[in-house]
Amino acid sequence: MRKKKLIAGNWKMNGSLAANDALLRAVLAGAGLPGCDVAVAVPAPYLAQAQALLAGSPVALAAQDVSQHAAGAFTGEVGAAMLQDFGVRYCLVGHSERRQYHGETDAAVAAKAQRALAAGITPVVCVGETLAERDAGQTAAVVRRQLAAVVHVVGHCVSEIVVAYEPVWAIGTGQTATPAQAQEVHAVLRAQLQAASAQPAGVRIVYGGSMNAANAAELLAQPDIDGGLIGGASLKAPDFLRIIAAAA
Ligand code: 3PY
């Protein structure tokens, strides 16, 4: 059976009570009953607001990060059980902005994925190479290493994760991998999941990295692209809705 695509918005550190209200109402009004799974990853302070607005709707709530620790003296961290309290269904782990600006290692990302799974939250494990790594011909090796760290820790639960391929050079730059470049890496990840999981067919591999209303249809038409993780375009309801329509 063809799996439903997943379109997840990553708002990053954007929003306000007023702006979130307007955006989510417009998305809900326009999405109707979407033909794909839809989620929005909101900043942690707005989880309660988004939970209330999305209640009973087909749009799932997502978080942008989770602590690798369960609880305790970790100032500023947000634990998986806290996300669970707000009905969070998906949580990004290892976004390149976290790896780059917060020094998150492969091991930390794997621990975060494990915490999310243990709380019944689907981790969206982000992997991707820098431009220097691509130019050095290391793309496949880098994404395999990043995914392997997670597979090693979560074991058979790997069938419950979502993988997001986000080439670092395409994040927030307006540059997008061509559909062929993205498909090539997705196929590498698919093969790795096939070797690691008893139910590899269920694992969705979504593409992120400046996916927008203009390029979504072509990217989503690739055989191994099962959805999108959408940055800037998820902050504009008409654009986000066009991407959702392209994934239906
Ligand atoms: C982007 O598209 O810029 C993203 O980082 C999505 O997560």
Side-chain angles (χ1 to χ4, degrees), residues 10 12 92 95 97 166 170-173 208-211 229-232:
N10 175 11
K12 308 192 179 186
L92 311 186
H95 190 281
E97 287 154 9
E166 297 210 311
I171 291 184
T173 59
S210 301
M211 188 187 269
L229 180 56
I230 320 298

Side-chain angles (χ1 to χ4, degrees), residues 10 95-96 126-129 164-168 171 206-209 229-230:
N10 175 11
H95 190 281
S96 70
C126 303
V127 299
E129 81 288 3
Y165 169 53
E166 297 210 311
V168 179
I171 291 184
V206 304
Y207 172 78
L229 180 56
I230 320 298

Side-chain angles (χ1 to χ4, degrees), residues 53-130:
L53 283 164
L54 299 177
S57 86
V59 177
L61 184 57
Q64 297 178 11
D65 186 31
V66 64
S67 176
Q68 61 182 296
H69 306 288
F74 300 102
T75 303
E77 294 275 275
V78 176
M82 298 172 182
L83 300 182
Q84 202 180 28
D85 271 349
F86 289 93
V88 166
R89 288 257 307 279
Y90 300 91
C91 180
L92 311 186
V93 295
H95 190 281
S96 70
E97 287 154 9
R98 304 274 335 156
R99 293 181 191 259
Q100 192 178 346
Y101 305 134
H102 301 272
E104 285 188 10
T105 61
D106 291 344
V109 173
K112 287 172 180 229
Q114 175 80 317
R115 286 282 176 209
L117 285 168
I121 295 168
T122 302
V124 178
V125 177
C126 303
V127 299
E129 81 288 3
T130 62

